[in-house]
Amino acid sequence: MAYTSLAALGVLVVLLLQASTGTVARSSSAVSASKVFGMPAVMSLNGFERGEDGGPPAECDGKYHSDNDMLAALSTEWYQGGIRCFRAIRITRADNGQSVLATVVDECDTAHGCKNNIVDTSRAVWSALGLDTNVGEVAVTWSDS
């Protein structure tokens, strides 16, 4: 009994140390998110390059990314602490069903003003969907691929 309690305490200490030092893996295959299919959302334009409106580097890897890549940032609840980092999601236009795949690289943090139903995407996603970035926001659905 004492060994079980001691082992559990040891695991807890290791987890706390990892969390405090930032060494917890953001894309661990040991952690799985519930699959999402056809989740209604609002797509908005995000800049993933240095100096753009996307802010600091991407949450998944601490790097900036090219707006020519098919990229997405998900609202905090959907981002789920990084579980979806580097995973592809399918983004589908609500008006015509056209869809593309984009890679999740960032969080749209609801604690810092992002709405809880946002899929922020790069210019490449807008272009692939045949959308004008000046529109601002577009109704979409998204799914894990």
Side-chain angles (χ1 to χ4, degrees), residues 55-94:
E59 190 68 27
C60 290
D61 60 4
K63 297 178 181 178
Y64 291 100
H65 297 269
S66 171
D67 290 332
N68 295 321
D69 294 335
M70 303 289 282
L71 304 174
L74 295 175
S75 294
T76 301
E77 182 180 349
W78 296 335
Y79 180 74
Q80 292 190 329
I83 289 173
R84 289 192 169 86
C85 281
F86 309 112
R87 292 188 182 177
I89 60 170
R90 179 166 299 282
I91 301 168
T92 305
R93 286 178 59 169

Side-chain angles (χ1 to χ4, degrees), residues 15-100:
L15 290 174
L16 289 172
L17 285 172
Q18 286 180 334
S20 68
T21 60
T23 59
V24 176
R26 294 216 182 259
S27 59
S28 170
S29 59
V31 180
S32 64
S34 297
K35 285 281 190 177
V36 170
F37 181 79
M39 178 67 70
V42 175
M43 187 175 80
S44 58
L45 180 66
N46 189 40
F48 292 89
E49 296 180 1
R50 183 184 302 273
E52 291 185 321
D53 61 343
E59 190 68 27
C60 290
D61 60 4
K63 297 178 181 178
Y64 291 100
H65 297 269
S66 171
D67 290 332
N68 295 321
D69 294 335
M70 303 289 282
L71 304 174
L74 295 175
S75 294
T76 301
E77 182 180 349
W78 296 335
Y79 180 74
Q80 292 190 329
I83 289 173
R84 289 192 169 86
C85 281
F86 309 112
R87 292 188 182 177
I89 60 170
R90 179 166 299 282
I91 301 168
T92 305
R93 286 178 59 169
D95 63 348
N96 68 9
Q98 184 179 359
S99 69
V100 297

